[in-house]
Amino acid sequence: QVQLVESGGGLAQPGGSLRLSCAASGFSFSSYAMSWARQAPGKGLEWVSGIYSDGSDTYYADSVKGRFTISRDNAKNTLYLQMNSLKLEDTALYYCAKARDDFISANVYEYDYWGQGTQVTVSS
């Protein structure tokens, strides 16, 4: 069965960095686009970034553009999110998600499998 397991979350100071990982199994990872999304306390699910199956192109929400970098290692079936210049408003539960095909959408309903999430807290 499809499994997505996020890791790498934690506590960071404003301006700091964290690197999230998402280990995928149970499907042909290299055939699907993948994305990261997040949910801040009391808010809805927000798409953050996406990457095509071969890593050829990436997309970002305006709120993280220039600070976050998505990447993937298809040999390791792993998705990454490098987060730099963290802000207080980046505090959220971060999820990785598998697309239904090799298409990136900012609509979170276009993703069929989700991990359990990893908590990122930015605080001074």
Side-chain angles (χ1 to χ4, degrees):
Q1 68 278 23
V2 174
Q3 281 196 313
L4 300 171
V5 180
E6 301 95 337
S7 61
L11 178 64
Q13 292 187 334
S17 298
L18 284 173
R19 189 193 195 203
L20 306 184
S21 298
C22 172
S25 62
F27 66 102
S28 180
F29 180 74
S30 60
S31 298
Y32 294 89
M34 298 289 295
S35 280
W36 289 96
R38 66 187 181 185
Q39 187 165 25
K43 297 190 176 181
L45 197 56
E46 174 193 19
W47 175 84
V48 171
S49 179
I51 185 168
Y52 281 119
S53 62
D54 61 358
S56 60
D57 214 347
T58 57
Y59 294 89
Y60 299 91
D62 288 344
S63 57
V64 306
K65 199 172 295 181
R67 301 188 298 118
F68 290 10
T69 302
I70 190 172
S71 62
R72 64 192 297 161
D73 185 336
N74 286 343
K76 295 183 178 180
N77 288 353
T78 303
L79 178 72
Y80 303 100
L81 185 68
Q82 178 66 45
M83 306 187 297
N84 298 330
S85 302
L86 284 164
K87 303 177 179 180
L88 296 176
E89 53 264 41
D90 294 320
T91 294
L93 189 60
Y94 282 73
Y95 299 92
C96 68
K98 171 190 168 294
R100 298 182 190 277
D101 50 34
D102 195 17
F103 177 76
I104 298 168
S105 173
N107 182 349
V108 296
Y109 295 102
E110 294 295 329
Y111 296 86
D112 54 4
Y113 288 94
W114 295 78
Q116 82 290 346
T118 186
Q119 178 67 40
V120 171
T121 302
V122 183
S123 174
S124 55

